[in-house]
């Protein structure tokens, strides 16, 4: 059979046109997905680092998972102000981004909280990505000193049996679940049947935190520990403890 040159040319035009249409659709799909990155996990490669984001129950807070170890020890740091972040160069850099109001550091992730009235996540995320990648490429320490904030759930010599059970329940059953949502819970006190806890990271200011506190944490504690009558969230006590530690750190630097 003989195929005319004109027929072959028409076929090639149709193939190229179809390829162009497919490429355009793929591009539009990519742009659309990029605009929806705030709702969906996103992995971006740059300089050998892959940063994954995860949404949390708090719409004003996101988890950033760089795929590397952030803290050298088991524990968390919650910075609610730029002043409190003076012991962490990484947290200070993040606070310089417009709209950032809280930075939470965990062994393998960073939670960033923004102001409810500030710009949306899709405009803030590129700056946060760049900040995290630039920081870790600079080889700066995440914390300026080895001094760490003592875990408030550690067992003390003067803790009674009920307090010990509360702390153990927090560490084994409650805190791991809360950290999956980008936050943490710190034990503050137990007195007259009332457990006082401090909500940190994504949990602080979360619209569903009160429901989680009462329907989740309080019910679990009352089930395992009948002495617990109520669970309440507080902020002032843990903030005061943090400020005390940070002031002691500043004094140590001044003495050197």
């Amino acid at each position: 059979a003989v195929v005319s040159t004109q027929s072959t040319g028409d076929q090639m035009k149709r193939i190229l046109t179809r390829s162009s249409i497919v490429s355009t659709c793929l591009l539009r799909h990519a742009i659309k997905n990029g605009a929806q990155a705030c709702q969906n996990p996103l992995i971006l490669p740059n300089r050998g680092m892959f940063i994954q984001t995860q949404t949390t129950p708090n719409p004003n807070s996101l988890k950033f998972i760089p795929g590397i170890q952030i803290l050298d020890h088991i524990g968390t740091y919650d910075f609610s102000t730029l002043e409190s972040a003076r012991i962490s160069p990484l947290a200070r850099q993040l606070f310089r981004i417009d709209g950032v109001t809280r930075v939470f550091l965990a062994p393998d992730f960073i939670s960033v909280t923004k102001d409810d009235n500030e710009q949306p996540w899709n405009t803030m995320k590129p700056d946060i990505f760049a900040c995290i990648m630039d920081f870790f490429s600079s080889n700066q320490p995440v914390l300026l000193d080895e001094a760490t904030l003592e875990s408030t759930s550690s067992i003390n010599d003067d803790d009674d049996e009920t307090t010990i059970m509360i702390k153990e329940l927090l560490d084994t059953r409650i805190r791991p679940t809360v950290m999956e949502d980008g936050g943490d819970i710190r034990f503050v006190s137990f007195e007259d049947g009332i457990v006082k806890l401090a909500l940190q990271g994504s949990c602080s200011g979360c619209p569903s935190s009160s429901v989680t506190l009462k329907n989740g944490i309080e019910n679990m504690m009352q089930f395992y520990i009948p002495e617990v009558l109520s669970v309440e969230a507080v902020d002032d006590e843990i903030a005061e403890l943090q400020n005390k530690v940070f002031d002691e750190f500043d004094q140590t630097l001044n003495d050197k």
Side-chain angles (χ1 to χ4, degrees):
V2 179
V3 180
S4 67
T5 303
Q6 182 177 1
S7 176
T8 303
D10 292 341
Q11 289 179 0
M12 289 298 299
K13 287 181 181 180
R14 286 196 295 271
I15 292 173
L16 291 174
T17 302
R18 187 180 299 114
S19 176
S20 177
I21 293 174
V22 171
S23 299
T24 302
C25 291
L26 289 174
L27 179 60
R28 290 176 179 174
H29 179 71
I31 295 174
K32 181 180 179 181
N33 285 345
Q36 294 175 344
C38 186
Q39 288 78 31
N40 301 314
L42 177 67
I43 300 177
L44 291 180
N46 190 17
R47 302 176 190 175
M49 176 179 288
F50 291 83
I51 300 180
Q52 180 179 359
T53 62
Q54 290 183 1
T55 57
T56 73
N58 186 348
N60 292 322
S61 186
L62 275 182
K63 281 179 66 176
F64 292 82
I65 308 172
I68 61 174
Q69 187 175 11
I70 298 171
L71 299 179
D72 295 332
H73 56 275
I74 298 175
T76 60
Y77 283 83
D78 186 46
F79 303 107
S80 57
T81 63
L82 176 60
E83 181 182 7
S84 67
R86 56 183 178 267
I87 68 169
S88 173
L90 172 58
R92 286 205 312 269
Q93 291 290 336
L94 288 168
F95 267 111
R96 293 178 181 176
I97 299 174
D98 290 339
V100 172
T101 60
R102 196 180 201 102
V103 177
F104 177 81
L105 304 180
D108 59 354
F109 71 86
I110 305 163
S111 288
V112 178
T113 304
K114 71 178 184 67
D115 192 315
D116 188 29
N117 298 322
E118 289 292 338
Q119 51 190 328
W121 279 118
N122 60 350
T123 59
M124 293 181 62
K125 284 172 66 176
D127 291 335
I128 297 175
F129 279 127
C131 178
I132 294 174
M133 289 184 288
D134 288 344
F135 177 83
F136 283 106
S137 65
S138 69
N139 294 320
Q140 296 183 66
V142 175
L143 301 173
L144 289 180
D145 194 80
E146 294 298 328
T148 58
L149 183 64
E150 181 182 357
S151 174
T152 55
S153 59
S154 58
I155 306 300
N156 301 321
D157 294 337
D158 57 349
D159 286 341
D160 56 31
E161 183 179 352
T162 302
T163 301
I164 293 175
M165 288 191 295
I166 292 172
K167 290 182 175 181
E168 289 180 345
L169 185 63
L170 279 172
D171 280 347
T172 59
R173 300 293 298 273
I174 298 174
R175 291 184 64 205
T177 301
V178 173
M179 290 184 69
E180 290 180 1
D181 288 334
D184 198 4
I185 290 183
R186 297 274 185 169
F187 174 85
V188 176
S189 65
F190 174 66
E191 188 176 356
D192 298 328
I194 300 176
V195 179
K196 292 186 178 180
L197 305 173
L199 306 181
Q200 298 184 318
S202 298
C203 297
S204 180
C206 178
S208 60
S209 60
S210 59
V211 176
T212 302
L213 195 70
K214 290 296 181 181
N215 295 348
I217 298 174
E218 183 176 276
N219 287 346
M220 178 180 290
M221 284 199 171
Q222 289 176 342
F223 178 81
Y224 288 104
I225 309 172
E227 291 84 357
V228 174
L229 303 178
S230 177
V231 176
E232 298 179 358
V234 295
D235 291 323
D236 295 340
E237 288 89 346
I238 198 70
E240 182 179 349
L241 176 61
Q242 286 180 326
N243 289 333
K244 179 181 177 181
V245 173
F246 298 147
D247 290 340
E248 292 175 353
F249 173 77
D250 278 349
Q251 186 62 42
T252 302
L253 291 180
N254 293 332
D255 293 341
K256 291 182 179 181

